[in-house]
Amino acid sequence: MASQPHVLLIAERFPPDIGGLARSGARTAGALVKLGAQVDVLAWTRAAAPGSLQTVDDAGTVTPFARGVTLHRLGLFGSTDLSMQHTLDVLGYLHAKRRYDLVWGHYLSPPGFLAVVFAESVGIASTVSARGNDVDQLMFPPGDFARLLWTLQRADVLTAASADLGRKMSMLLGRDPGVEVIPNAVDTEVFSPGPADPALRARLGIAPEEVVLGFSGELRHKKGLPFLLSALSDVRRSRPACLLIIGEVRARDAEHLVAFRAEHPEDAARIVISGPLDTPEAIAAHVRVCDIYLQPSLWEGMPNALLEAMACARPVIASDAGGIPEAVDHGHNGFIVPKALLNHLGQACLDVLSLPPEHRIALGTAARRRIEERFQATAEAEVLRRVLARAIPKGSS
């Protein structure tokens, strides 16, 4: 491997975008810097003029996860085909200036596909990372199965956020390509157990007697938005409760909230949305406000937000989507509701709330222990080091 490999990571979403995909991209880039790599990130944005390229010399000014990373933001055009063709031109421009050894596609499409196309066009290595429902989206119509398969076949190294995603990639290829599972790393100093901040509860407008059901990230259909809303109604029929969304609702899914407000105005009035938060510390403080953390996803890789809630020793209820069962052991450190039965999420919340306080504390303690054992930066760094060694063999430049 080159003594200081130069890596370009292509990301569809990157801070200040919210959500697990953006945070995991920043964290991967920052972790590669800590391993001695020079790291550039190319991320798309609709906040800049179409086709414009903006460079931030140290992405640590954007997010603490990516200190030492050079961030290039590229404004998207109205159509995907124009944006991708222009992106290839920009990649060529950046490579001529900065001479990359490895291109890393963070999510299979379009970042992964573009990473492999560009790497092959200039004769350098590529790796792609499956992060969430990207495999499922491309497998079935209207997804592009041919492009998915080509990307998996041609990348030098395949990585995934969970063993479940790795198995799906191997199944599609009909062989074991040696998928490297990169465990999401949680900062357990920031995301740590502790009492809820009464001042924060008051600022959010949460009444003293209300139970707080929590969700963190960008809420949308695939994250179980309809089931969160129905769970709130179910719980509120038995006791005062609110739903705290730590982040925001994706704009195109906001119609679910509009319909819910029309049918259940009193329940809808108890949906508290924090909006985007600037720091991990602020996110952690909001997570500690939650009495139960909910992750009723329909599709998943390995959700960062769930792991952060477990690190904060919150009782968690999650679906069995993707890699979630790799983190949550039902009845030991949280509870699993099968995807097919998520209409019972509200009853599951009531069941957890009826547990003795010492039982809920024990659940949180076990959840915290799981994060400390499997989802620390040291485990992530070990796999990233192996990926670099496989993609850029020793002595290459």
Side-chain angles (χ1 to χ4, degrees):
M1 185 172 68
S3 57
Q4 192 179 29
H6 202 166
V7 179
L8 172 65
L9 185 144
I10 304 174
E12 185 171 11
R13 300 176 69 80
F14 198 85
D17 298 332
I18 69 168
L21 182 62
R23 287 219 300 285
S24 67
R27 201 185 56 248
T28 297
L32 289 168
V33 168
K34 291 177 182 175
L35 290 176
Q38 297 180 61
V39 181
D40 286 30
V41 170
L42 178 71
W44 294 298
T45 178
R46 294 197 181 278
S52 67
L53 183 66
Q54 304 168 347
T55 296
V56 178
D57 291 330
D58 182 1
T61 61
V62 177
T63 170
F65 293 114
R67 291 190 179 95
V69 172
T70 300
L71 172 62
H72 309 280
R73 285 199 167 279
L74 181 60
L76 284 167
F77 288 98
S79 63
T80 301
D81 58 340
L82 285 177
S83 294
M84 297 307 105
Q85 290 174 58
H86 182 63
T87 299
L88 276 178
D89 292 336
V90 171
L91 292 175
Y93 164 78
L94 291 174
H95 181 58
K97 288 180 62 180
R98 303 179 72 84
R99 309 307 303 174
Y100 301 113
D101 301 298
L102 171 67
V103 189
W104 185 306
H106 194 74
Y107 207 71
L108 291 182
S109 181
F113 174 70
L114 275 174
V116 177
V117 168
F118 180 71
E120 293 218 354
S121 72
V122 297
I124 60 177
S126 65
T127 182
V128 298
S129 185
R131 304 305 309 175
N133 66 325
D134 36 356
V135 175
D136 293 320
Q137 272 189 332
L138 293 172
M139 278 174 59
F140 303 109
D144 190 336
F145 182 81
R147 188 172 310 193
L148 166 65
L149 194 58
W150 185 90
T151 301
L152 297 179
Q153 289 170 336
R154 302 299 289 249
D156 292 292
V157 182
L158 302 178
T159 78
S162 68
D164 173 75
L165 278 171
R167 286 189 291 270
K168 288 179 179 177
M169 294 159 85
S170 298
M171 177 268 293
L172 290 172
L173 288 169
R175 60 182 175 84
D176 181 5
V179 177
E180 299 283 2
V181 178
I182 302 176
N184 285 338
V186 179
D187 187 336
T188 50
E189 291 187 6
V190 173
F191 292 93
S192 59
D197 178 356
L200 178 57
R201 275 186 68 110
R203 227 171 25 249
L204 291 168
I206 298 171
E209 72 279 5
E210 281 188 307
V211 167
V212 181
L213 311 177
F215 171 86
S216 180
E218 186 184 38
L219 182 55
R220 52 201 191 276
H221 183 79
K222 69 163 258 192
K223 296 291 185 178
L225 190 160
F227 302 107
L228 285 170
L229 299 180
S230 61
L232 174 63
S233 293
D234 291 344
V235 173
R236 279 178 46 81
R237 276 194 284 271
S238 297
R239 60 196 300 170
C242 69
L243 172 63
L244 173 59
I245 298 170
I246 306 168
E248 60 189 9
V249 179
R250 180 173 283 190
R252 64 172 173 258
D253 290 301
E255 64 192 48
H256 289 287
L257 287 185
V258 174
F260 185 72
R261 286 192 185 101
E263 293 181 23
H264 307 280
E266 292 185 0
D267 294 339
R270 297 316 305 139
I271 298 174
V272 180
I273 303 176
S274 72
L277 300 173
D278 294 334
T279 66
E281 289 79 6
I283 296 171
H286 282 69
V287 170
R288 284 190 284 268
V289 168
C290 302
D291 294 292
I292 304 176
Y293 180 81
L294 305 178
Q295 191 77 48
S297 302
L298 300 174
W299 303 279
E300 270 299 353
M302 179 62 76
N304 290 280
L306 173 69
L307 302 179
E308 290 165 355
M310 293 174 72
C312 291
R314 299 297 93 185
V316 300
I317 304 174
S319 74
D320 57 356
I324 289 175
E326 297 166 35
V328 180
D329 292 336
H330 181 71
H332 172 62
N333 61 13
F335 295 95
I336 294 285
V337 177
K339 295 191 294 292
L341 300 176
L342 283 171
N343 56 307
H344 297 296
L345 181 64
Q347 184 58 53
C349 292
L350 290 169
D351 291 344
V352 172
L353 292 168
S354 69
L355 293 172
E358 59 271 19
H359 191 162
R360 279 186 276 162
I361 291 171
L363 284 168
T365 301
R368 168 78 180 183
R369 188 179 308 117
R370 173 57 56 85
I371 301 305
E372 291 173 336
E373 291 171 350
R374 298 191 189 177
F375 299 96
Q376 292 273 35
T378 50
E380 179 187 51
E382 181 181 339
V383 182
L384 289 174
R385 190 178 288 110
R386 195 160 62 235
V387 171
L388 289 176
R390 287 180 58 188
I392 314 171
K394 194 170 183 179
S396 68
S397 62

